[in-house]
Amino acid sequence: MISVANAVVRYPGARDNALDGASFEARPGCVTAVVGPNGSGKSTVVRTLVGQVELASGSMRVGAVDVASADRRALARTLAVVTQREELTFPLPVRDYVMLGRYPHHGAWSALGPADATLVDAAAARTGAAELIDRRTDELSGGEWQRVRLARALAQGGDVLVLDEPGTFLDVAHEMALFELLDTLAREGRTVLLVSHQLNLVARFAAHIVLLDHGRVVAAGSPADVMRGDVLEPVYHWPLVISRDPAVGAPVLVPLRKR
């Protein structure tokens, strides 16, 4: 489980807090989505979890472990993260890149073995990256790179998976396959926390939605609780209506044109 309690983050030189007393939980067994407009603090949640930025106050915990004081290697055995941006200094064979997910489970000078290779192959198969395993990372399209990065996170293992805009660069089929996979992983007992702008897709797959605005949680609950015009319009500052997905009955946001 991920627990965020009264989290405050301010970037150097910023006038306002990026997170301003945010509190929420992501529980095992379901997909939790953090949504909100640009600059609302969504990606800051992920950066704080991985130690890229520090909390000014409050706490973030993965299970019973406070991420501010956690041993990073030990935390990586529990928490796998797919960040929004990642650029390699040098290209790698895809298999070697996915294998990086196994290093938190070994000492600095330990050799990886057949069991690690088996986990890498299984992760590549689950993410649709098996066909890419013998290529190099600099030969991949944006969507292929996203699938490979998810494969590395799955190879890393652990009970908690965090993803920042995981559908970026993916076409419709691969995006749907990704969300189906995240739903399956959650049903297997993992904690899955994702940041996304895709409100309509989130409404179909997330059991719990956390809506951020200016670093604050302004709504949290089921898709039916959060995907409401009176909740979303003041946050996104755009006229909209909420309809229903004819296939599954989930709420659907329809932005209106301004005339």
Side-chain angles (χ1 to χ4, degrees):
M1 184 172 76
I2 296 173
S3 301
V4 179
N6 300 312
V8 175
V9 172
R10 177 175 288 188
Y11 293 107
R15 183 182 63 182
D16 299 317
N17 294 330
L19 290 178
D20 194 14
S23 298
F24 64 89
E25 291 184 343
R27 295 182 175 275
C30 68
V31 175
T32 298
V34 178
V35 302
N38 293 334
S40 60
K42 303 185 303 299
S43 292
T44 298
V45 172
V46 179
R47 294 186 189 117
T48 308
L49 282 170
V50 300
Q52 291 179 337
V53 297
E54 295 183 357
L55 285 166
S57 61
S59 66
M60 288 191 185
R61 295 182 179 274
V62 177
V65 177
D66 190 325
V67 299
S69 57
D71 175 81
R72 305 315 296 184
R73 180 182 287 272
L75 184 62
R77 291 194 285 269
T78 298
L79 171 69
V81 179
V82 179
T83 57
Q84 187 174 140
R85 299 181 184 89
E86 181 179 2
E87 296 293 337
L88 298 182
T89 304
F90 302 103
L92 292 172
V94 167
R95 181 180 295 278
D96 290 354
Y97 174 80
V98 178
M99 190 71 79
L100 292 175
R102 299 303 307 154
Y103 279 94
H105 302 273
H106 298 270
W109 306 107
S110 299
L112 304 185
D116 298 296
T118 298
L119 290 169
V120 165
D121 289 338
R126 293 198 80 175
T127 58
E131 63 192 46
L132 310 171
I133 203 73
D134 294 320
R135 292 169 61 183
R136 286 162 43 107
T137 55
D138 59 345
E139 299 171 349
L140 303 177
S141 70
E144 290 169 340
W145 176 229
Q146 198 75 336
R147 286 149 57 194
V148 166
R149 294 172 67 218
L150 179 59
R152 184 209 61 202
L154 291 192
Q156 188 173 329
D159 297 325
V160 182
L161 179 62
V162 176
L163 310 100
D164 192 355
E165 299 291 354
T168 302
F169 302 119
L170 296 179
D171 58 39
V172 171
H174 284 107
E175 187 175 49
M176 284 299 296
L178 165 66
F179 274 79
E180 293 282 8
L181 174 59
L182 296 180
D183 180 68
T184 298
L185 294 170
R187 291 176 185 275
E188 291 173 356
R190 288 179 175 85
T191 298
V192 178
L193 176 69
L194 67 92
V195 168
S196 180
H197 282 292
Q198 300 278 17
L199 286 172
N200 290 338
L201 200 54
V202 160
R204 295 182 69 177
F205 289 93
H208 189 72
I209 299 177
V210 179
L211 177 63
L212 292 180
D213 189 28
H214 293 95
R216 303 182 185 94
V217 176
V218 295
S222 70
D225 294 330
V226 177
M227 293 282 287
R228 293 169 25 197
D230 61 328
V231 172
L232 297 176
E233 274 198 7
V235 172
Y236 287 93
H237 304 290
W238 196 267
L240 54 89
V241 295
I242 302 299
S243 182
R244 290 284 165 182
D245 187 316
V248 297
V252 174
L253 180 152
V254 182
L256 302 177
R257 291 190 63 180
K258 286 186 175 180
R259 298 190 181 277

